[in-house]
Amino acid sequence: LGKCLLSPIVLAAYAYNRSLNDLGFGERSENEPGVLCQLFSFLMAFFGLAPNLLLLAMALECWLSLGHPYFYRRHLTWRLGATLGPVAAGLCALFCALPLLGFGVPVQYCPGTWCFIRMAGDKPRELGFPVLYASLMGLLVLAIVACNVSSMRHLYGMARRQPRCGPPAAAAPRMEALDHLVLLGLMTVFLIICSLPLIIRAYMGAIAADFDENADLTALRLLSMNSIIDPWVFIIFRTSIFRMFVRRVCRRL
């Protein structure tokens, strides 16, 4: 959904060879971002944060189902799962709308096809939201990593309890546990790599007033890559050829 909403705006800017501020409608002052730039900034912030909230819900479900199956069976229902998605999206939308109300400053990034929250400045109005955004992002990443590491520990224990050899039917649960273990490990590593640069840039901007547009743009691109990489990791890993390759490596190890 994020790619479908954001990509047409970027393509339109390139097609007309104009920046987002120039494409926007309505009157604005010279230093004020346009309406389209503010919308793009809101969508970037929302789709940078909302997937992590959903990932946290998935990580919590995985951790509870593996580590606390009786609690999971008794308290986690389909209705609760269906409610969590809209509630998380609504809370995330309210939080990311704060810059539209004056708490935070949307800014256009070079080459004029990106807008995001200004991550450096000398005013509380400029610094408050990016620090809060980075702190929330960091807490989400820590919680996701903690849940995934605990789930990986449970999966490793399950794999060790399964027979190493014997008929294929007996060894299947062990290999399935190892499949999930490697998949969770890869997704956790990619989440940390893609999220940390933005968190670091926000704190550097607040502490040292370091407004480096190229560094901010790199951090934003890495954050966007996380939602692209995760589905591909899942798709590629679930193919039979790749799983067979991983199983052979695991057997050799």
Side-chain angles (χ1 to χ4, degrees):
L1 181 62
K3 298 299 178 286
C4 291
L5 291 176
L6 289 167
S7 297
I9 301 176
V10 179
L11 294 175
Y14 277 110
Y16 288 99
N17 197 25
R18 299 171 68 186
S19 67
L20 295 185
N21 281 331
D22 294 334
L23 278 176
F25 50 87
E27 296 182 359
R28 65 181 184 88
S29 62
E30 185 178 353
N31 296 323
E32 183 183 358
V35 175
L36 195 60
C37 183
Q38 294 183 41
L39 174 63
F40 195 96
S41 175
F42 166 77
L43 291 175
M44 279 291 296
F46 176 80
F47 288 109
L49 194 62
N52 284 339
L53 281 172
L54 295 178
L55 281 175
L56 177 60
M58 294 168 64
L60 280 171
E61 189 214 6
C62 185
W63 170 64
L64 287 172
S65 64
L66 290 171
H68 306 276
Y70 295 109
F71 178 88
Y72 176 83
R73 180 70 176 173
R74 179 176 297 179
H75 296 285
L76 268 71
T77 62
W78 183 90
R79 180 176 297 178
L80 176 63
T83 306
L84 278 177
V87 170
L91 292 174
C92 185
L94 290 175
F95 176 74
C96 294
L98 289 177
L100 304 179
L101 303 176
F103 184 64
V105 181
V107 63
Q108 180 177 272
Y109 284 85
C110 182
T113 56
W114 285 67
C115 283
F116 195 65
I117 309 302
R118 183 181 178 91
M119 290 192 287
D122 53 1
K123 301 177 182 177
R125 175 174 171 266
E126 296 177 351
L127 297 177
F129 183 80
V131 171
L132 194 59
Y133 186 87
S135 301
L136 182 57
M137 180 83 71
L139 289 174
L140 288 175
V141 171
L142 284 176
I144 293 169
V145 170
C147 289
N148 284 349
V149 169
S150 180
S151 299
M152 290 163 65
R153 184 174 61 84
H154 288 299
L155 285 169
Y156 181 71
M158 290 167 58
R160 290 194 64 181
R161 288 192 294 270
Q162 297 296 329
R164 293 176 177 270
C165 55
R174 170 183 169 82
M175 299 314 301
E176 186 176 357
L178 288 174
D179 288 343
H180 289 294
L181 176 64
V182 176
L183 179 63
L184 271 179
L186 287 174
M187 295 179 74
T188 303
V189 169
F190 285 129
L191 173 68
I192 294 172
I193 292 174
C194 293
S195 302
L196 273 182
L198 182 70
I199 298 171
I200 294 171
R201 286 301 307 163
Y203 281 110
M204 286 181 63
I207 297 172
D210 178 24
F211 185 71
D212 187 343
E213 195 167 345
N214 290 329
D216 290 347
L217 189 56
T218 301
L220 291 173
R221 283 172 173 161
L222 281 171
L223 182 67
S224 301
M225 283 175 60
N226 186 47
S227 58
I228 301 173
I229 291 174
D230 272 349
W232 278 108
V233 169
F234 188 81
I235 291 169
I236 293 173
F237 186 80
R238 300 306 291 179
T239 60
S240 58
I241 296 175
F242 190 79
R243 292 174 70 181
M244 183 168 54
F245 169 75
V246 172
R247 289 176 181 180
R248 287 181 177 177
V249 172
C250 290
R251 287 195 186 102
R252 288 184 179 274
L253 293 177

